[in-house]
Amino acid sequence: MFRFILVFICVINIAFGALDENGNLIMEGVPNTNIAPLDSPQNATNPPINSPTIPTVNLSLSAPQEPGDLVTTLNIVIIITLLVLAPSLVLVMTSFTRIIIVLGFLRTAMGTQQSPPTQILVSLALILTFFIMEPVATEGYTNGIKPYIAKEIPYDEAFVRTVKPFKEFMLRNTREKDLALFFRIRNLENPQTIEDVPLTVLLPAFMISELKTAFQIGFLLYLPFLVIDMVVSSLLMALGMMMLPPIMISLPFKILIFILVDGFNLLVGNLVHSFK
């Protein structure tokens, strides 16, 4: 136990530079007793029993000795880059954009302020995104990533195979008008196959298509709640209660009607089926 405490104190003092030039421990308020290092001749005669080994971390850059070392390093860099860009990829290549916008419209139309909280809406949108994109991701993994890990195909072919299911998903949910817009901006010829559609053109077209679809769904969500607000406002004016905020009276009716029609079941079901 004493040796463990001693080693622990040495580690702490090493971290804060509390060793002198001879490697002796310097303790504040305690005179230097010239404690011999563990590997000194004094301790060699009485070797420590089960002395703990202090781990070290070595962060260094060196030239690769073999081509395989460079490939491994590049793979690590690519993986780290993908992890950094993962949130952006979720936004631009999946169904997340449409779902989160529609849920935001729903909360605004009901007038519930911060209920459900934003974290709940984002979590629900992510769960639905994983549910919708699971077949696409599985196909990409099976056709591209899995053979690449088994070293059956090169990196460029693995990338093409992995991205292909996502491109098909985005093309199915992208309006032809939006896709043609970016082809005209780039002065590109009309594509004949999926391979002829570059990701740099497909991604913005898919994004604006998702925004338009989400706003259309949001408009339809607003209509029934807008009717309730108008009816409540008319009743309050007829009763002479003009100083009473209509939203305070209409909010319970909105929540009641939304519960009676099983709103989340209808909304989520139609959202999922809206993707092709």
Side-chain angles (χ1 to χ4, degrees):
M1 179 61 71
F2 174 75
R3 292 184 180 274
F4 174 79
I5 296 174
L6 180 61
V7 171
F8 179 76
I9 295 174
C10 290
V11 173
I12 298 299
N13 283 274
I14 289 171
F16 289 92
L19 293 178
D20 60 10
E21 61 277 3
N22 297 322
N24 296 324
L25 183 63
I26 301 175
M27 303 181 66
E28 226 179 319
V30 179
N32 189 358
T33 55
N34 294 327
I35 300 176
L38 294 177
D39 56 352
S40 64
Q42 179 181 349
N43 287 331
T45 57
N46 298 316
I49 302 175
N50 298 328
S51 60
T53 302
I54 303 175
T56 60
V57 178
N58 184 17
L59 298 177
S60 60
L61 295 176
S62 59
Q65 302 298 327
E66 299 179 359
D69 297 338
L70 179 60
V71 173
T72 303
T73 304
L74 292 177
N75 289 338
I76 295 174
V77 172
I78 292 173
I79 292 174
I80 295 175
T81 304
L82 290 177
L83 290 176
V84 173
L85 298 177
S88 300
L89 295 177
V90 169
L91 291 177
V92 301
M93 297 183 63
T94 64
S95 57
F96 180 82
T97 302
R98 184 189 305 185
I99 295 173
I100 192 61
I101 292 177
V102 171
L103 293 177
F105 269 117
L106 173 65
R107 185 174 66 180
T108 305
M110 294 186 65
T112 54
Q113 302 299 324
Q114 296 298 321
S115 182
T118 303
Q119 293 85 349
I120 299 299
L121 295 183
V122 173
S123 300
L124 178 59
L126 285 174
I127 292 173
L128 293 177
T129 300
F130 293 151
F131 177 78
I132 294 171
M133 301 301 298
E134 190 269 338
V136 179
T138 301
E139 182 180 354
Y141 175 80
T142 304
N143 298 335
I145 298 178
K146 191 174 181 179
Y148 175 71
I149 295 176
K151 298 181 180 180
E152 298 175 357
I153 57 176
Y155 170 76
D156 52 353
E157 185 179 353
F159 178 78
V160 173
R161 290 188 182 184
T162 304
V163 172
K164 184 178 180 181
F166 291 91
K167 290 180 66 175
E168 293 176 349
F169 172 82
M170 289 188 286
L171 281 173
R172 290 195 302 266
N173 294 277
T174 302
R175 291 179 175 82
E176 185 177 351
K177 180 180 178 181
D178 297 329
L179 191 61
L181 170 65
F182 290 95
F183 267 92
R184 290 196 304 268
I185 294 175
R186 281 286 187 88
N187 295 321
L188 299 175
E189 297 182 357
N190 293 333
Q192 303 299 325
T193 61
I194 297 179
E195 287 74 15
D196 297 335
V197 182
L199 278 176
T200 54
V201 174
L202 180 57
L203 286 176
F206 175 72
M207 285 292 291
I208 63 175
S209 295
E210 288 294 285
L211 289 174
K212 182 177 180 180
T213 304
F215 273 75
Q216 289 176 342
I217 299 174
F219 171 74
L220 297 177
L221 280 175
Y222 253 98
L223 288 180
F225 299 113
L226 180 61
V227 171
I228 295 175
D229 286 333
M230 293 177 63
V231 171
V232 171
S233 299
S234 300
L235 290 175
L236 292 177
M237 291 184 64
L239 295 173
M241 301 179 181
M242 292 177 290
M243 300 300 294
L244 187 63
I247 190 172
M248 184 182 299
I249 306 299
S250 62
L251 180 59
F253 291 100
K254 291 179 182 179
I255 297 175
L256 178 62
I257 292 176
F258 190 76
I259 293 173
L260 290 177
V261 300
D262 202 358
F264 279 109
N265 186 287
L266 292 174
L267 179 62
V268 171
N270 286 281
L271 266 178
V272 172
H273 287 98
S274 66
F275 291 97
K276 302 175 184 178

